Amino acid sequence: MPITPATATHSSSNGTAEAILLELVDEDGTTIGTAEKLSAHQPPGQLHRAFSVFLFDERGRLLLQQRALGKYHSPGVWSNTCCGHPYPGESPFAAAARRTYEELGVSPSLLGEAGTVRYNHPDPDSGLVEQEYNHLFVGMVQAPVRPDPEEVGSTAFVSADELARRHAKEPFSSWFMTVLDAARPAVRELTGPSAGW
């Protein structure tokens, strides 16, 4: 993968990590500025651009990831295949493909836009707030995943029925059902009616 401003390691000339910046947006998704990642998530939260990826195998099962325990936001909970934030000036599609590879070691064999959703989800455990304008992507994965243990604790492919059972008894991210419900029309188009999404 070529090194670009979006894929380069963010470190300063003295070797310390630079602040990660997010794109702040208005209610229409128009960029209005930037903010440091953690500060954008402090209550009441600043509306910023994000993305969520839902990848499926050839049997129509959704690839879930369990967030690594070391993550400062929503550690240890299950969530969609991949989610994150574009760097300022990076397209949501490029960010979605980049982070899927960085977190799961796999590139989607197919990835398409599935709309946007705007939400405000406080996380009672961390005290942080997800105030996001989220770009949704749906696609296929055909290669074995190779998760980065710093990002991902575990992965699982689940059918719609298996997801319902898991969601009833295991912790999921506060935003998971909001983004899944918003992506469902594109998910159904991709997986077909027999998959039950």
Side-chain angles (χ1 to χ4, degrees), residues 13-142:
S13 57
N14 66 5
T16 60
E18 288 182 12
I20 296 173
L21 296 179
L22 308 184
E23 264 186 14
L24 299 180
V25 299
D26 65 16
E27 294 291 339
D28 297 317
T30 303
T31 302
I32 57 172
T34 60
E36 190 277 324
K37 182 178 179 181
L38 186 55
S39 70
H41 290 86
Q42 298 288 347
Q46 295 174 279
L47 184 58
H48 58 273
R49 194 177 310 284
F51 65 83
S52 290
V53 177
F54 297 86
L55 295 182
F56 294 82
D57 67 7
E58 291 171 343
R59 292 168 51 190
R61 299 179 304 166
L62 171 62
L63 174 59
L64 297 177
Q65 74 154 272
Q66 185 178 35
R67 294 166 63 83
L69 290 174
K71 293 181 91 70
Y72 74 90
H73 192 336
S74 303
V77 302
W78 288 93
S79 199
N80 48 295
T81 308
C82 180
C83 54
H85 309 92
Y87 293 128
E90 181 183 27
S91 77
F93 183 90
R98 171 179 60 80
R99 285 302 291 162
T100 299
Y101 185 80
E102 290 171 356
E103 291 187 11
L104 295 160
V106 66
S107 295
S109 56
L110 173 74
L111 190 65
E113 295 182 11
T116 59
V117 62
R118 191 262 195 254
Y119 53 79
N120 176 3
H121 283 300
D123 177 34
D125 293 331
S126 68
L128 301 174
V129 177
E130 288 290 4
Q131 189 78 256
E132 293 187 331
Y133 187 94
N134 198 304
H135 296 256
L136 307 170
F137 297 93
V138 169
M140 300 285 294
V141 60
Q142 293 173 305

Side-chain angles (χ1 to χ4, degrees), residues 128-197:
L128 301 174
V129 177
E130 288 290 4
Q131 189 78 256
E132 293 187 331
Y133 187 94
N134 198 304
H135 296 256
L136 307 170
F137 297 93
V138 169
M140 300 285 294
V141 60
Q142 293 173 305
V145 296
R146 300 182 315 277
D148 176 352
E150 297 288 314
E151 299 285 347
V152 179
S154 187
T155 61
F157 281 97
V158 296
S159 68
D161 288 342
E162 289 166 339
L163 175 62
R165 288 193 293 273
R166 269 183 184 251
H167 193 263
K169 58 185 183 177
E170 296 184 50
F172 275 74
S173 63
S174 61
W175 61 87
F176 175 74
M177 286 308 297
T178 300
V179 292
L180 175 59
D181 286 345
R184 278 187 200 273
V187 169
R188 290 183 185 121
E189 188 174 332
L190 175 75
T191 60
S194 63
W197 294 101

